[in-house]
Amino acid sequence: MATEVDRRVVASARSPLSGWFIASGVVLIVSLLAAFFVQARQQALLQQAVQGQDDYLVLNLFQFETEYLRLRERWRQAAADPTTAREQLQLRYDIFISRIGLLQTERAQRVLSDSPEYGSAQRAIRDFVDRSDLYLGQSAQAPFSSASLKALLADLEALDAPVHQMLLAGAHRVALQVASRSDTIAQHNRVGLALTVFLSAMVGLFGYLALRRMRQLDDSRRALEAMANHLNDAREQALRASQAKSEFLTNMSHAIRTPFHGMLGMLALLRESRLDARQQELLRTAVDSADHLLGLLNDIVDLSKLEAGTLTLDERDVELEPLLREVERMMRASADAKALQLSLTIDPALPLRARVDGARLRQVLTNLVANAIRFTHHGSVKLAARVVPAAAGSGPRLQLVVSDTGVGMSAETAARLFERSHLPVRGGARDPMQQGSGLGLEVAHRLVRLMQGDITVESTLGQGSVFRVALPLQTGGEPAAAVAAPVAPPVPEPTRARHVLVAEDNAVNRLFLAALLDRMGHSAHFVENGLEALQAVQEHHFDIVLMDVHMPVMDGIAATEAIRQLNFSAPLPIVALTADAYADTRTRCLAAGMDDVLVKPLGLPELEGLFQRRFGAASPPGEAARAAQTIGAGVALLDPKVLARLIELMPRAEAARLYESLLTQAGDATERMRRALRDADTDELRRVSHGLKGAALNLGLHALADAAGRLSASASSTSASQLALALQRFDETLVATRALCATEPELLTTPGAA
Amino acid sequence: MSAAASQARRRALVCLVGAALPWRARAQALQAPAGTVVLSIGGRIQRANQGERAALDMPMLEALAQRSFTTKTPWFKEPRKFTGPLLRDVLNLVGAQGAMLRIAALNDYRIDVPVDDTRRFDVVLARMIDDKAITVREKGPLFMIYPFDSDATLRNPLYYSRSVWQLKSIDVL
């Protein structure tokens, strides 16, 4: 369709029609000029005829003959009867003479001069007048006798023939002239007529060509319109299709995530069961792949929300440094796995808090650092945060720089890095797992844009890349504990067994939650939808309800609203379980009367944190407590007395370095212990944890030492799952310790950590 | 010319003549000609001196305001100077009330001229050519002449034919 139209448009543009058009126009103009010329000639001829008074010449000749005849009559009467009044004769004579002059005009001369009749008549008339004037002239010389009257009458009568001949000659001459002029006019008329016919034909042709041209233009206009409509339709169709696909993708991602979370939970439980080395290895690969897949799904959901514009930022006052340290902590394992140095540098001028969406900022930084680690094979990955002072046209900005010494990329790749269609191929990486989907970068880019910021990349092939995120820096306002909370994990308390109602439609998730709650020593009652939950709370007493938001029959929000209408006398906390961590979901849950929102995937720490928040240390001691969970209870992270002693012994900078190296060592140790646990190498686990315990004690890091001690003590005696949990505690304690050390004023001489 | 237009014109003429007459024409009757009668005017006139007609001699015409112009004509090779009263003054003198003038010449040439011509153009009843009285031989004694040179629309056979020489009589229709 489109090509056909194109051809037609092109054809009409090149058509010889326009040539014909011009040619016929020229011919038309020429014929018009010719017609004008002919008409001008006719006008001139007519003018000539009018001025020449041709017709009047003949009339004059006739009148002359009439006057002649009247004079002759009068003269005969006078001759016959001399008594008649002479005045009458005189008048006739004078009139006759006045007529002679008219025969001698220029025009008369021209027409008649070569006519012999004219010449002889003129001579005869002149002779007669000459003779008559003797008696009848103005100065008459002789009396007019009867005899002379009679004699002159004979002369007068002799004029009969010449006068008549002259009349006939003149009439014939004029008739001839009129005929010849008529011929000329007729000829001109014929030419004019021919020209008119030709002109009409040309006008017809011209009109036809113009009409055809117009019709062609009309056709091509219609064709273009049709094409435009067609394209418009196609565009709308494509848009609709794209929208439908986006929706499908979003729906599918959501749908996949739910069973997937269950699968992840099962994998986590499986990891804690007794597995041989081969099974551990297989499990690790499965977990890695699952993590990767979950990341992809999250990216897709985020992207579709970003595209649809439904993603809203949950901006609160967030403590920046713990957030950055958490990113570092989260990424350390993968950096360590590739033997890369991961460092965090924080500008001392960085404000304590800033107004950002902490979760989203963490997502951006994690994406960028993960990306850097993925494309760096040796060297280092650095994360740095600084404040760019307010400049003209913009306020102060928070700049976050992720630089690596990786494979880098070419300028073209860098230029198209944030585009969807572009899968970055860097340094010849072919393994899709290693290469990444590129979605993470796009998500990061769009998120930063949503935060009114910008993200730029600088890279040299083979020498590494630098990603710079610049965000408007807003400080002040109320501090928010929500994001800072995970950085300093609550030290778990021994917990009393609680009666928990779990409303969850997904069987795998139910199984997973059952395992978790069982491990925590709580008793759980399961229902599969909101309506059952509503019935259950009326039949039994529960300490807390865990409510999935999306359920068949009655969803979590409706169920919560219904439960709140029952107006129980005792408080019943209801906690939402949802897969989306977005502000709007959270708001809806809280508005419905829920007390808290937990985001899937849920792990033991999250659940424990929840119970800690809900029931806290107020729980009576002596309840079913578990050795693995009692790490560091009531134990100080950093003993200020030990620190003070140390600072007395050595310069403050050196003390800080000491703490730094221990924390680095502890980070390494975590990885080593993880590997040992995975490989079921309890000796290694004990060795490492024991060594660390001693070092930590020396520096007054009691909580860390405690956690390490528990690992060391139970290395060979407890189950792998309990060891994993203890290791998790250790790791969290390490993060908390690191955060504390970073903010400890006595150790602030060297900002930042290893 | 439409009937309505000619009627309007006639009415205008009546007004004009009617306004001029009461103190001049009615009070003074047209004097009788003392010399040779050169022009006889009849038809719808208000003042006569010979029965129904007004007979005018040269001194009577000479007594009216004289007008002179020089123009080329088909009857003379050179431009000639024509002198005499305006035809409309002559018509006023006799209280002419018609719309058409039937003009006759000595040789019985006859033509109808609309009175309107005398208002639109300064038509002169010439009694002198080049300051000399006109003889009959020279197309006199009266020569009705249009100012051909001053108006191009006059230079066509219609007005040439209305330019009557050897003028003898006028009948107001």
PDB file of all heavy atoms in Angstrom, chain A residues 490 520 596 598 603-615:
ATOM      1  N   PRO A 490      17.807  -5.310  65.122  1.00  0.00           N
ATOM      2  CA  PRO A 490      17.491  -5.472  66.532  1.00  0.00           C
ATOM      3  C   PRO A 490      18.074  -6.788  67.032  1.00  0.00           C
ATOM      4  O   PRO A 490      18.077  -7.780  66.304  1.00  0.00           O
ATOM      5  CB  PRO A 490      15.961  -5.487  66.550  1.00  0.00           C
ATOM      6  CG  PRO A 490      15.575  -5.929  65.182  1.00  0.00           C
ATOM      7  CD  PRO A 490      16.632  -5.449  64.262  1.00  0.00           C
ATOM      8  N   MET A 520      10.805 -20.467  64.893  1.00  0.00           N
ATOM      9  CA  MET A 520      10.827 -19.396  65.885  1.00  0.00           C
ATOM     10  C   MET A 520      10.080 -19.801  67.151  1.00  0.00           C
ATOM     11  O   MET A 520      10.055 -19.036  68.122  1.00  0.00           O
ATOM     12  CB  MET A 520      10.197 -18.124  65.310  1.00  0.00           C
ATOM     13  CG  MET A 520      11.068 -17.465  64.241  1.00  0.00           C
ATOM     14  SD  MET A 520      10.122 -16.292  63.264  1.00  0.00           S
ATOM     15  CE  MET A 520       9.846 -15.025  64.470  1.00  0.00           C
ATOM     16  N   ASP A 596       1.224  -3.083  60.178  1.00  0.00           N
ATOM     17  CA  ASP A 596       2.576  -3.139  59.629  1.00  0.00           C
ATOM     18  C   ASP A 596       2.492  -3.791  58.248  1.00  0.00           C
ATOM     19  O   ASP A 596       1.497  -4.436  57.923  1.00  0.00           O
ATOM     20  CB  ASP A 596       3.490  -3.954  60.549  1.00  0.00           C
ATOM     21  CG  ASP A 596       4.927  -3.413  60.509  1.00  0.00           C
ATOM     22  OD1 ASP A 596       5.280  -2.794  59.487  1.00  0.00           O
ATOM     23  OD2 ASP A 596       5.655  -3.630  61.500  1.00  0.00           O
ATOM     24  N   LEU A 598       4.884  -6.172  55.674  1.00  0.00           N
ATOM     25  CA  LEU A 598       6.128  -6.893  55.396  1.00  0.00           C
ATOM     26  C   LEU A 598       6.163  -7.201  53.906  1.00  0.00           C
ATOM     27  O   LEU A 598       5.172  -7.613  53.314  1.00  0.00           O
ATOM     28  CB  LEU A 598       6.174  -8.208  56.181  1.00  0.00           C
ATOM     29  CG  LEU A 598       6.522  -8.120  57.669  1.00  0.00           C
ATOM     30  CD1 LEU A 598       6.720  -9.527  58.228  1.00  0.00           C
ATOM     31  CD2 LEU A 598       7.772  -7.287  57.913  1.00  0.00           C
ATOM     32  N   GLY A 603      12.082 -13.527  55.076  1.00  0.00           N
ATOM     33  CA  GLY A 603      13.092 -14.432  55.619  1.00  0.00           C
ATOM     34  C   GLY A 603      12.929 -14.451  57.125  1.00  0.00           C
ATOM     35  O   GLY A 603      12.106 -13.719  57.683  1.00  0.00           O
ATOM     36  N   LEU A 604      13.716 -15.260  57.725  1.00  0.00           N
ATOM     37  CA  LEU A 604      13.681 -15.341  59.179  1.00  0.00           C
ATOM     38  C   LEU A 604      13.940 -13.981  59.827  1.00  0.00           C
ATOM     39  O   LEU A 604      13.222 -13.574  60.752  1.00  0.00           O
ATOM     40  CB  LEU A 604      14.698 -16.393  59.653  1.00  0.00           C
ATOM     41  CG  LEU A 604      14.465 -16.980  61.038  1.00  0.00           C
ATOM     42  CD1 LEU A 604      13.033 -17.483  61.194  1.00  0.00           C
ATOM     43  CD2 LEU A 604      15.459 -18.101  61.305  1.00  0.00           C
ATOM     44  N   PRO A 605      14.963 -13.250  59.350  1.00  0.00           N
ATOM     45  CA  PRO A 605      15.249 -11.968  60.007  1.00  0.00           C
ATOM     46  C   PRO A 605      14.051 -11.034  59.979  1.00  0.00           C
ATOM     47  O   PRO A 605      13.765 -10.353  60.965  1.00  0.00           O
ATOM     48  CB  PRO A 605      16.391 -11.377  59.177  1.00  0.00           C
ATOM     49  CG  PRO A 605      16.978 -12.518  58.432  1.00  0.00           C
ATOM     50  CD  PRO A 605      15.888 -13.531  58.243  1.00  0.00           C
ATOM     51  N   GLU A 606      13.380 -10.989  58.845  1.00  0.00           N
ATOM     52  CA  GLU A 606      12.256 -10.078  58.730  1.00  0.00           C
ATOM     53  C   GLU A 606      11.157 -10.442  59.726  1.00  0.00           C
ATOM     54  O   GLU A 606      10.612  -9.596  60.421  1.00  0.00           O
ATOM     55  CB  GLU A 606      11.678 -10.098  57.311  1.00  0.00           C
ATOM     56  CG  GLU A 606      12.530  -9.374  56.278  1.00  0.00           C
ATOM     57  CD  GLU A 606      13.628 -10.257  55.718  1.00  0.00           C
ATOM     58  OE1 GLU A 606      13.713 -11.440  56.131  1.00  0.00           O
ATOM     59  OE2 GLU A 606      14.403  -9.772  54.881  1.00  0.00           O
ATOM     60  N   LEU A 607      10.876 -11.754  59.801  1.00  0.00           N
ATOM     61  CA  LEU A 607       9.835 -12.196  60.731  1.00  0.00           C
ATOM     62  C   LEU A 607      10.225 -11.927  62.174  1.00  0.00           C
ATOM     63  O   LEU A 607       9.447 -11.456  62.986  1.00  0.00           O
ATOM     64  CB  LEU A 607       9.562 -13.687  60.542  1.00  0.00           C
ATOM     65  CG  LEU A 607       8.414 -14.052  59.583  1.00  0.00           C
ATOM     66  CD1 LEU A 607       8.137 -15.536  59.661  1.00  0.00           C
ATOM     67  CD2 LEU A 607       7.159 -13.253  59.929  1.00  0.00           C
ATOM     68  N   GLU A 608      11.492 -12.215  62.446  1.00  0.00           N
ATOM     69  CA  GLU A 608      11.971 -11.996  63.817  1.00  0.00           C
ATOM     70  C   GLU A 608      11.910 -10.523  64.163  1.00  0.00           C
ATOM     71  O   GLU A 608      11.517 -10.135  65.258  1.00  0.00           O
ATOM     72  CB  GLU A 608      13.388 -12.534  63.970  1.00  0.00           C
ATOM     73  CG  GLU A 608      13.377 -14.044  64.178  1.00  0.00           C
ATOM     74  CD  GLU A 608      14.769 -14.629  64.238  1.00  0.00           C
ATOM     75  OE1 GLU A 608      15.721 -13.915  63.843  1.00  0.00           O
ATOM     76  OE2 GLU A 608      14.900 -15.774  64.658  1.00  0.00           O
ATOM     77  N   GLY A 609      12.310  -9.711  63.181  1.00  0.00           N
ATOM     78  CA  GLY A 609      12.252  -8.254  63.387  1.00  0.00           C
ATOM     79  C   GLY A 609      10.834  -7.830  63.705  1.00  0.00           C
ATOM     80  O   GLY A 609      10.588  -6.997  64.576  1.00  0.00           O
ATOM     81  N   LEU A 610       9.900  -8.409  62.991  1.00  0.00           N
ATOM     82  CA  LEU A 610       8.495  -8.064  63.200  1.00  0.00           C
ATOM     83  C   LEU A 610       8.068  -8.396  64.628  1.00  0.00           C
ATOM     84  O   LEU A 610       7.481  -7.568  65.326  1.00  0.00           O
ATOM     85  CB  LEU A 610       7.618  -8.836  62.195  1.00  0.00           C
ATOM     86  CG  LEU A 610       6.126  -8.757  62.455  1.00  0.00           C
ATOM     87  CD1 LEU A 610       5.615  -7.355  62.113  1.00  0.00           C
ATOM     88  CD2 LEU A 610       5.369  -9.816  61.676  1.00  0.00           C
ATOM     89  N   PHE A 611       8.393  -9.634  65.036  1.00  0.00           N
ATOM     90  CA  PHE A 611       7.959 -10.055  66.377  1.00  0.00           C
ATOM     91  C   PHE A 611       8.649  -9.216  67.446  1.00  0.00           C
ATOM     92  O   PHE A 611       8.066  -8.891  68.477  1.00  0.00           O
ATOM     93  CB  PHE A 611       8.215 -11.561  66.587  1.00  0.00           C
ATOM     94  CG  PHE A 611       7.122 -12.400  65.981  1.00  0.00           C
ATOM     95  CD1 PHE A 611       7.133 -12.702  64.636  1.00  0.00           C
ATOM     96  CD2 PHE A 611       6.062 -12.863  66.756  1.00  0.00           C
ATOM     97  CE1 PHE A 611       6.110 -13.441  64.067  1.00  0.00           C
ATOM     98  CE2 PHE A 611       5.042 -13.602  66.202  1.00  0.00           C
ATOM     99  CZ  PHE A 611       5.053 -13.892  64.845  1.00  0.00           C
ATOM    100  N   GLN A 612       9.912  -8.835  67.138  1.00  0.00           N
ATOM    101  CA  GLN A 612      10.654  -7.986  68.055  1.00  0.00           C
ATOM    102  C   GLN A 612       9.934  -6.642  68.204  1.00  0.00           C
ATOM    103  O   GLN A 612       9.742  -6.126  69.293  1.00  0.00           O
ATOM    104  CB  GLN A 612      12.070  -7.783  67.503  1.00  0.00           C
ATOM    105  CG  GLN A 612      12.941  -6.859  68.336  1.00  0.00           C
ATOM    106  CD  GLN A 612      13.371  -7.548  69.622  1.00  0.00           C
ATOM    107  OE1 GLN A 612      13.344  -8.785  69.733  1.00  0.00           O
ATOM    108  NE2 GLN A 612      13.742  -6.768  70.624  1.00  0.00           N
ATOM    109  N   ARG A 613       9.547  -6.099  67.046  1.00  0.00           N
ATOM    110  CA  ARG A 613       8.879  -4.797  67.063  1.00  0.00           C
ATOM    111  C   ARG A 613       7.539  -4.883  67.781  1.00  0.00           C
ATOM    112  O   ARG A 613       7.160  -4.005  68.532  1.00  0.00           O
ATOM    113  CB  ARG A 613       8.638  -4.326  65.617  1.00  0.00           C
ATOM    114  CG  ARG A 613       9.806  -3.635  64.975  1.00  0.00           C
ATOM    115  CD  ARG A 613       9.366  -2.743  63.823  1.00  0.00           C
ATOM    116  NE  ARG A 613       8.700  -3.475  62.738  1.00  0.00           N
ATOM    117  CZ  ARG A 613       9.364  -4.200  61.836  1.00  0.00           C
ATOM    118  NH1 ARG A 613      10.676  -4.341  61.931  1.00  0.00           N
ATOM    119  NH2 ARG A 613       8.704  -4.812  60.882  1.00  0.00           N
ATOM    120  N   ARG A 614       6.834  -5.967  67.469  1.00  0.00           N
ATOM    121  CA  ARG A 614       5.481  -6.089  68.026  1.00  0.00           C
ATOM    122  C   ARG A 614       5.478  -6.413  69.511  1.00  0.00           C
ATOM    123  O   ARG A 614       4.710  -5.852  70.276  1.00  0.00           O
ATOM    124  CB  ARG A 614       4.713  -7.186  67.280  1.00  0.00           C
ATOM    125  CG  ARG A 614       4.220  -6.788  65.923  1.00  0.00           C
ATOM    126  CD  ARG A 614       3.100  -5.773  66.040  1.00  0.00           C
ATOM    127  NE  ARG A 614       3.310  -4.723  65.065  1.00  0.00           N
ATOM    128  CZ  ARG A 614       2.878  -3.491  65.207  1.00  0.00           C
ATOM    129  NH1 ARG A 614       2.222  -3.146  66.287  1.00  0.00           N
ATOM    130  NH2 ARG A 614       3.100  -2.601  64.298  1.00  0.00           N
ATOM    131  N   PHE A 615       6.322  -7.399  69.884  1.00  0.00           N
ATOM    132  CA  PHE A 615       6.259  -7.890  71.269  1.00  0.00           C
ATOM    133  C   PHE A 615       7.487  -7.525  72.076  1.00  0.00           C
ATOM    134  O   PHE A 615       7.478  -7.528  73.278  1.00  0.00           O
ATOM    135  CB  PHE A 615       6.022  -9.401  71.281  1.00  0.00           C
ATOM    136  CG  PHE A 615       4.826  -9.781  70.434  1.00  0.00           C
ATOM    137  CD1 PHE A 615       4.980 -10.454  69.230  1.00  0.00           C
ATOM    138  CD2 PHE A 615       3.536  -9.402  70.827  1.00  0.00           C
ATOM    139  CE1 PHE A 615       3.879 -10.773  68.448  1.00  0.00           C
ATOM    140  CE2 PHE A 615       2.451  -9.732  70.042  1.00  0.00           C
ATOM    141  CZ  PHE A 615       2.609 -10.411  68.843  1.00  0.00           C
TER     142      PHE A 615
END
